[in-house]
Amino acid sequence: MPVFTSDFSPTLPFKNGHFNTMYRPLFMKDTCSFLRKRITTWDHDFIDLDFSLVGSKTIVILIHGLEGSSESKYIASTSKHLNKKGLDTVCFNLRGCSGDDNLLLGTYHSGKTEDVDFVVKHILENYKYENIIIIGFSLGGNLTLKYIGEQSENISPKIKGAIAISVPIDIASGEVEMERLKNKLYLEVFFKTMKNKILEKAHKFPEFNLDKDKLFKATKFKHLEKLYTVPVFGFESPEDYWAKASAKPHLLKIKRPTLLINSKDDTFLSTECYPYDEAHNSDFFFFEAPNYGGHCGFMTSFKPSENTWLEHRIERFIRENIQINIL
């Protein structure tokens, strides 16, 4: 599919990637009233699903980013907008992110699509929806793209398409980019919650034998992966994790209309995270790279009512390319 030419054109302050990235979580007031359902997983854990229903035949599964939840502003704003357009939504809170710690030592990672598959099958088996769309943000976007690609031969006909926003589809180079000085503040915010969660897991599972000294000194994602992700989820090394978890190798396998939006000023993303070639060589994978937008931002002005470009872009892709009738 051709690469889309973006029409995103923010006012001057929002042309700064950092400003746009931080404005949504700090200043937007979006909230959404969800009805929570806790489902038991095959491995004796639980996943919390937060529904917002308007009586639709179509449901949109929303997947948040690293250390996010259904309370993330981009989840709330997308859910509210889609509800107004007549679509049901459900936010899939990744394990350990719903406000309650999950029961197992393992939580989630960028490539853990078995959990996405479990949630999709739960929706298929317990609800009578005619259409399912998956929308993921950042890490949740990587899960979305990887799932749609790797399941291409077995995917349910009820899954009509997907959208991913601000996604580090190449984890190895994305982590290098994230660890640059320009992203120091973001990294500190992520590491604070991630280290606390790993410490809590070590307390609950003493057999885990966490090297707490190394955890306290960790300054890179690779350090946390060596301490937690690799041993807990059975990877051979951080490099093995990066290769197996990245969505990029799966893009050309996608067989449902799927859109990736990565802004060119997203400071989290490396050059490898802009898959122009894959989009040009696919019949189903679409790519859009606005000049501005930051990471999961896409704010246009200081007026909240005008900050709906992303929600309207999602709506338009659903209507025009996934071809679902919405209000």
PDB file of all heavy atoms in Angstrom, residues 21-42:
ATOM      1  N   THR A  21       4.842  15.360  23.250  1.00  0.00           N
ATOM      2  CA  THR A  21       4.839  14.107  24.004  1.00  0.00           C
ATOM      3  C   THR A  21       4.311  14.307  25.421  1.00  0.00           C
ATOM      4  O   THR A  21       3.505  13.513  25.925  1.00  0.00           O
ATOM      5  CB  THR A  21       6.260  13.520  24.073  1.00  0.00           C
ATOM      6  OG1 THR A  21       6.705  13.205  22.751  1.00  0.00           O
ATOM      7  CG2 THR A  21       6.313  12.271  24.934  1.00  0.00           C
ATOM      8  N   MET A  22       4.750  15.377  26.065  1.00  0.00           N
ATOM      9  CA  MET A  22       4.412  15.585  27.474  1.00  0.00           C
ATOM     10  C   MET A  22       3.067  16.258  27.694  1.00  0.00           C
ATOM     11  O   MET A  22       2.474  16.134  28.773  1.00  0.00           O
ATOM     12  CB  MET A  22       5.518  16.404  28.143  1.00  0.00           C
ATOM     13  CG  MET A  22       6.849  15.659  28.238  1.00  0.00           C
ATOM     14  SD  MET A  22       8.110  16.545  29.181  1.00  0.00           S
ATOM     15  CE  MET A  22       8.560  17.834  28.011  1.00  0.00           C
ATOM     16  N   TYR A  23       2.567  16.956  26.678  1.00  0.00           N
ATOM     17  CA  TYR A  23       1.346  17.741  26.887  1.00  0.00           C
ATOM     18  C   TYR A  23       0.139  16.857  27.194  1.00  0.00           C
ATOM     19  O   TYR A  23      -0.628  17.162  28.104  1.00  0.00           O
ATOM     20  CB  TYR A  23       1.054  18.608  25.657  1.00  0.00           C
ATOM     21  CG  TYR A  23      -0.035  19.622  25.906  1.00  0.00           C
ATOM     22  CD1 TYR A  23       0.264  20.859  26.457  1.00  0.00           C
ATOM     23  CD2 TYR A  23      -1.369  19.342  25.601  1.00  0.00           C
ATOM     24  CE1 TYR A  23      -0.731  21.797  26.710  1.00  0.00           C
ATOM     25  CE2 TYR A  23      -2.369  20.267  25.849  1.00  0.00           C
ATOM     26  CZ  TYR A  23      -2.041  21.495  26.396  1.00  0.00           C
ATOM     27  OH  TYR A  23      -3.034  22.412  26.651  1.00  0.00           O
ATOM     28  N   ARG A  24      -0.024  15.760  26.445  1.00  0.00           N
ATOM     29  CA  ARG A  24      -1.209  14.927  26.658  1.00  0.00           C
ATOM     30  C   ARG A  24      -1.277  14.368  28.086  1.00  0.00           C
ATOM     31  O   ARG A  24      -2.283  14.549  28.772  1.00  0.00           O
ATOM     32  CB  ARG A  24      -1.277  13.789  25.630  1.00  0.00           C
ATOM     33  CG  ARG A  24      -2.575  12.990  25.725  1.00  0.00           C
ATOM     34  CD  ARG A  24      -2.563  11.752  24.829  1.00  0.00           C
ATOM     35  NE  ARG A  24      -2.651  12.033  23.419  1.00  0.00           N
ATOM     36  CZ  ARG A  24      -3.783  12.174  22.746  1.00  0.00           C
ATOM     37  NH1 ARG A  24      -4.942  12.095  23.380  1.00  0.00           N
ATOM     38  NH2 ARG A  24      -3.762  12.401  21.436  1.00  0.00           N
ATOM     39  N   PRO A  25      -0.244  13.675  28.591  1.00  0.00           N
ATOM     40  CA  PRO A  25      -0.367  13.112  29.948  1.00  0.00           C
ATOM     41  C   PRO A  25      -0.413  14.162  31.050  1.00  0.00           C
ATOM     42  O   PRO A  25      -1.011  13.918  32.105  1.00  0.00           O
ATOM     43  CB  PRO A  25       0.876  12.224  30.082  1.00  0.00           C
ATOM     44  CG  PRO A  25       1.839  12.762  29.083  1.00  0.00           C
ATOM     45  CD  PRO A  25       1.017  13.263  27.949  1.00  0.00           C
ATOM     46  N   LEU A  26       0.181  15.328  30.815  1.00  0.00           N
ATOM     47  CA  LEU A  26       0.247  16.323  31.880  1.00  0.00           C
ATOM     48  C   LEU A  26      -0.958  17.266  31.923  1.00  0.00           C
ATOM     49  O   LEU A  26      -1.371  17.699  33.004  1.00  0.00           O
ATOM     50  CB  LEU A  26       1.526  17.160  31.743  1.00  0.00           C
ATOM     51  CG  LEU A  26       2.845  16.434  32.011  1.00  0.00           C
ATOM     52  CD1 LEU A  26       4.016  17.377  31.802  1.00  0.00           C
ATOM     53  CD2 LEU A  26       2.869  15.861  33.426  1.00  0.00           C
ATOM     54  N   PHE A  27      -1.543  17.559  30.767  1.00  0.00           N
ATOM     55  CA  PHE A  27      -2.547  18.618  30.735  1.00  0.00           C
ATOM     56  C   PHE A  27      -3.921  18.208  30.201  1.00  0.00           C
ATOM     57  O   PHE A  27      -4.898  18.910  30.442  1.00  0.00           O
ATOM     58  CB  PHE A  27      -2.030  19.807  29.909  1.00  0.00           C
ATOM     59  CG  PHE A  27      -0.801  20.431  30.494  1.00  0.00           C
ATOM     60  CD1 PHE A  27       0.446  20.238  29.906  1.00  0.00           C
ATOM     61  CD2 PHE A  27      -0.867  21.187  31.651  1.00  0.00           C
ATOM     62  CE1 PHE A  27       1.593  20.809  30.449  1.00  0.00           C
ATOM     63  CE2 PHE A  27       0.274  21.762  32.206  1.00  0.00           C
ATOM     64  CZ  PHE A  27       1.506  21.574  31.602  1.00  0.00           C
ATOM     65  N   MET A  28      -4.020  17.126  29.465  1.00  0.00           N
ATOM     66  CA  MET A  28      -5.331  16.704  28.989  1.00  0.00           C
ATOM     67  C   MET A  28      -6.100  16.036  30.130  1.00  0.00           C
ATOM     68  O   MET A  28      -5.511  15.352  30.975  1.00  0.00           O
ATOM     69  CB  MET A  28      -5.198  15.759  27.792  1.00  0.00           C
ATOM     70  CG  MET A  28      -4.609  16.431  26.547  1.00  0.00           C
ATOM     71  SD  MET A  28      -5.597  17.828  25.934  1.00  0.00           S
ATOM     72  CE  MET A  28      -6.977  16.944  25.198  1.00  0.00           C
ATOM     73  N   LYS A  29      -7.398  16.228  30.155  1.00  0.00           N
ATOM     74  CA  LYS A  29      -8.233  15.774  31.273  1.00  0.00           C
ATOM     75  C   LYS A  29      -9.113  14.576  30.916  1.00  0.00           C
ATOM     76  O   LYS A  29     -10.088  14.289  31.618  1.00  0.00           O
ATOM     77  CB  LYS A  29      -9.128  16.931  31.751  1.00  0.00           C
ATOM     78  CG  LYS A  29      -8.376  18.200  32.111  1.00  0.00           C
ATOM     79  CD  LYS A  29      -7.408  18.001  33.261  1.00  0.00           C
ATOM     80  CE  LYS A  29      -6.710  19.310  33.636  1.00  0.00           C
ATOM     81  NZ  LYS A  29      -5.716  19.102  34.717  1.00  0.00           N
ATOM     82  N   ASP A  30      -8.788  13.881  29.853  1.00  0.00           N
ATOM     83  CA  ASP A  30      -9.643  12.792  29.395  1.00  0.00           C
ATOM     84  C   ASP A  30      -9.783  11.681  30.434  1.00  0.00           C
ATOM     85  O   ASP A  30      -8.791  11.208  30.995  1.00  0.00           O
ATOM     86  CB  ASP A  30      -9.075  12.189  28.105  1.00  0.00           C
ATOM     87  CG  ASP A  30      -9.041  13.188  26.971  1.00  0.00           C
ATOM     88  OD1 ASP A  30     -10.120  13.551  26.487  1.00  0.00           O
ATOM     89  OD2 ASP A  30      -7.934  13.617  26.590  1.00  0.00           O
ATOM     90  N   THR A  31     -11.021  11.289  30.667  1.00  0.00           N
ATOM     91  CA  THR A  31     -11.311  10.129  31.503  1.00  0.00           C
ATOM     92  C   THR A  31     -12.419   9.334  30.819  1.00  0.00           C
ATOM     93  O   THR A  31     -13.124   9.848  29.959  1.00  0.00           O
ATOM     94  CB  THR A  31     -11.775  10.525  32.913  1.00  0.00           C
ATOM     95  OG1 THR A  31     -12.948  11.354  32.807  1.00  0.00           O
ATOM     96  CG2 THR A  31     -10.687  11.277  33.669  1.00  0.00           C
ATOM     97  N   CYS A  32     -12.560   8.092  31.211  1.00  0.00           N
ATOM     98  CA  CYS A  32     -13.612   7.253  30.642  1.00  0.00           C
ATOM     99  C   CYS A  32     -14.116   6.315  31.731  1.00  0.00           C
ATOM    100  O   CYS A  32     -13.322   5.791  32.523  1.00  0.00           O
ATOM    101  CB  CYS A  32     -13.079   6.460  29.449  1.00  0.00           C
ATOM    102  SG  CYS A  32     -14.325   5.567  28.522  1.00  0.00           S
ATOM    103  N   SER A  33     -15.418   6.131  31.797  1.00  0.00           N
ATOM    104  CA  SER A  33     -16.004   5.223  32.783  1.00  0.00           C
ATOM    105  C   SER A  33     -16.023   3.807  32.220  1.00  0.00           C
ATOM    106  O   SER A  33     -16.747   3.519  31.258  1.00  0.00           O
ATOM    107  CB  SER A  33     -17.429   5.665  33.131  1.00  0.00           C
ATOM    108  OG  SER A  33     -17.423   6.948  33.730  1.00  0.00           O
ATOM    109  N   PHE A  34     -15.229   2.952  32.802  1.00  0.00           N
ATOM    110  CA  PHE A  34     -15.126   1.576  32.323  1.00  0.00           C
ATOM    111  C   PHE A  34     -15.828   0.611  33.274  1.00  0.00           C
ATOM    112  O   PHE A  34     -15.933   0.863  34.478  1.00  0.00           O
ATOM    113  CB  PHE A  34     -13.655   1.158  32.226  1.00  0.00           C
ATOM    114  CG  PHE A  34     -12.879   1.844  31.137  1.00  0.00           C
ATOM    115  CD1 PHE A  34     -11.907   2.788  31.451  1.00  0.00           C
ATOM    116  CD2 PHE A  34     -13.105   1.541  29.804  1.00  0.00           C
ATOM    117  CE1 PHE A  34     -11.172   3.408  30.456  1.00  0.00           C
ATOM    118  CE2 PHE A  34     -12.375   2.163  28.798  1.00  0.00           C
ATOM    119  CZ  PHE A  34     -11.408   3.101  29.125  1.00  0.00           C
ATOM    120  N   LEU A  35     -16.292  -0.485  32.710  1.00  0.00           N
ATOM    121  CA  LEU A  35     -16.814  -1.595  33.494  1.00  0.00           C
ATOM    122  C   LEU A  35     -15.774  -2.704  33.447  1.00  0.00           C
ATOM    123  O   LEU A  35     -15.475  -3.232  32.377  1.00  0.00           O
ATOM    124  CB  LEU A  35     -18.142  -2.094  32.911  1.00  0.00           C
ATOM    125  CG  LEU A  35     -18.754  -3.315  33.595  1.00  0.00           C
ATOM    126  CD1 LEU A  35     -19.144  -2.984  35.038  1.00  0.00           C
ATOM    127  CD2 LEU A  35     -19.961  -3.819  32.813  1.00  0.00           C
ATOM    128  N   ARG A  36     -15.204  -3.044  34.593  1.00  0.00           N
ATOM    129  CA  ARG A  36     -14.092  -3.998  34.626  1.00  0.00           C
ATOM    130  C   ARG A  36     -14.576  -5.437  34.724  1.00  0.00           C
ATOM    131  O   ARG A  36     -15.484  -5.763  35.488  1.00  0.00           O
ATOM    132  CB  ARG A  36     -13.155  -3.691  35.783  1.00  0.00           C
ATOM    133  CG  ARG A  36     -12.021  -4.711  35.974  1.00  0.00           C
ATOM    134  CD  ARG A  36     -10.877  -4.161  36.778  1.00  0.00           C
ATOM    135  NE  ARG A  36     -10.194  -3.095  36.031  1.00  0.00           N
ATOM    136  CZ  ARG A  36      -9.090  -2.467  36.474  1.00  0.00           C
ATOM    137  NH1 ARG A  36      -8.559  -2.811  37.649  1.00  0.00           N
ATOM    138  NH2 ARG A  36      -8.532  -1.528  35.743  1.00  0.00           N
ATOM    139  N   LYS A  37     -13.953  -6.285  33.922  1.00  0.00           N
ATOM    140  CA  LYS A  37     -14.170  -7.722  34.024  1.00  0.00           C
ATOM    141  C   LYS A  37     -12.812  -8.391  34.156  1.00  0.00           C
ATOM    142  O   LYS A  37     -11.923  -8.176  33.337  1.00  0.00           O
ATOM    143  CB  LYS A  37     -14.905  -8.266  32.804  1.00  0.00           C
ATOM    144  CG  LYS A  37     -15.119  -9.776  32.899  1.00  0.00           C
ATOM    145  CD  LYS A  37     -15.934 -10.324  31.762  1.00  0.00           C
ATOM    146  CE  LYS A  37     -16.138 -11.828  31.938  1.00  0.00           C
ATOM    147  NZ  LYS A  37     -16.944 -12.419  30.837  1.00  0.00           N
ATOM    148  N   ARG A  38     -12.658  -9.195  35.188  1.00  0.00           N
ATOM    149  CA  ARG A  38     -11.407  -9.931  35.413  1.00  0.00           C
ATOM    150  C   ARG A  38     -11.558 -11.341  34.865  1.00  0.00           C
ATOM    151  O   ARG A  38     -12.486 -12.057  35.237  1.00  0.00           O
ATOM    152  CB  ARG A  38     -11.053  -9.956  36.891  1.00  0.00           C
ATOM    153  CG  ARG A  38      -9.794 -10.738  37.239  1.00  0.00           C
ATOM    154  CD  ARG A  38      -9.310 -10.428  38.629  1.00  0.00           C
ATOM    155  NE  ARG A  38      -8.810  -9.048  38.722  1.00  0.00           N
ATOM    156  CZ  ARG A  38      -8.292  -8.519  39.834  1.00  0.00           C
ATOM    157  NH1 ARG A  38      -8.204  -9.248  40.945  1.00  0.00           N
ATOM    158  NH2 ARG A  38      -7.861  -7.260  39.844  1.00  0.00           N
ATOM    159  N   ILE A  39     -10.672 -11.727  33.971  1.00  0.00           N
ATOM    160  CA  ILE A  39     -10.736 -13.059  33.381  1.00  0.00           C
ATOM    161  C   ILE A  39      -9.525 -13.880  33.824  1.00  0.00           C
ATOM    162  O   ILE A  39      -8.427 -13.363  33.984  1.00  0.00           O
ATOM    163  CB  ILE A  39     -10.829 -12.998  31.843  1.00  0.00           C
ATOM    164  CG1 ILE A  39      -9.636 -12.251  31.226  1.00  0.00           C
ATOM    165  CG2 ILE A  39     -12.129 -12.333  31.421  1.00  0.00           C
ATOM    166  CD1 ILE A  39      -9.625 -12.257  29.696  1.00  0.00           C
ATOM    167  N   THR A  40      -9.750 -15.172  34.027  1.00  0.00           N
ATOM    168  CA  THR A  40      -8.696 -16.078  34.474  1.00  0.00           C
ATOM    169  C   THR A  40      -7.972 -16.654  33.264  1.00  0.00           C
ATOM    170  O   THR A  40      -8.608 -17.109  32.314  1.00  0.00           O
ATOM    171  CB  THR A  40      -9.284 -17.224  35.309  1.00  0.00           C
ATOM    172  OG1 THR A  40      -9.974 -16.664  36.439  1.00  0.00           O
ATOM    173  CG2 THR A  40      -8.190 -18.154  35.805  1.00  0.00           C
ATOM    174  N   THR A  41      -6.662 -16.620  33.297  1.00  0.00           N
ATOM    175  CA  THR A  41      -5.856 -17.090  32.171  1.00  0.00           C
ATOM    176  C   THR A  41      -5.578 -18.585  32.275  1.00  0.00           C
ATOM    177  O   THR A  41      -5.795 -19.205  33.320  1.00  0.00           O
ATOM    178  CB  THR A  41      -4.518 -16.337  32.111  1.00  0.00           C
ATOM    179  OG1 THR A  41      -3.802 -16.569  33.345  1.00  0.00           O
ATOM    180  CG2 THR A  41      -4.758 -14.839  31.945  1.00  0.00           C
ATOM    181  N   TRP A  42      -5.077 -19.160  31.187  1.00  0.00           N
ATOM    182  CA  TRP A  42      -4.746 -20.577  31.132  1.00  0.00           C
ATOM    183  C   TRP A  42      -3.657 -20.967  32.116  1.00  0.00           C
ATOM    184  O   TRP A  42      -3.568 -22.129  32.527  1.00  0.00           O
ATOM    185  CB  TRP A  42      -4.307 -20.945  29.704  1.00  0.00           C
ATOM    186  CG  TRP A  42      -2.925 -20.448  29.367  1.00  0.00           C
ATOM    187  CD1 TRP A  42      -1.756 -21.137  29.472  1.00  0.00           C
ATOM    188  CD2 TRP A  42      -2.567 -19.128  28.930  1.00  0.00           C
ATOM    189  NE1 TRP A  42      -0.690 -20.347  29.113  1.00  0.00           N
ATOM    190  CE2 TRP A  42      -1.158 -19.107  28.772  1.00  0.00           C
ATOM    191  CE3 TRP A  42      -3.294 -17.976  28.638  1.00  0.00           C
ATOM    192  CZ2 TRP A  42      -0.473 -17.969  28.346  1.00  0.00           C
ATOM    193  CZ3 TRP A  42      -2.610 -16.851  28.206  1.00  0.00           C
ATOM    194  CH2 TRP A  42      -1.228 -16.853  28.066  1.00  0.00           C
TER     195      TRP A  42
END
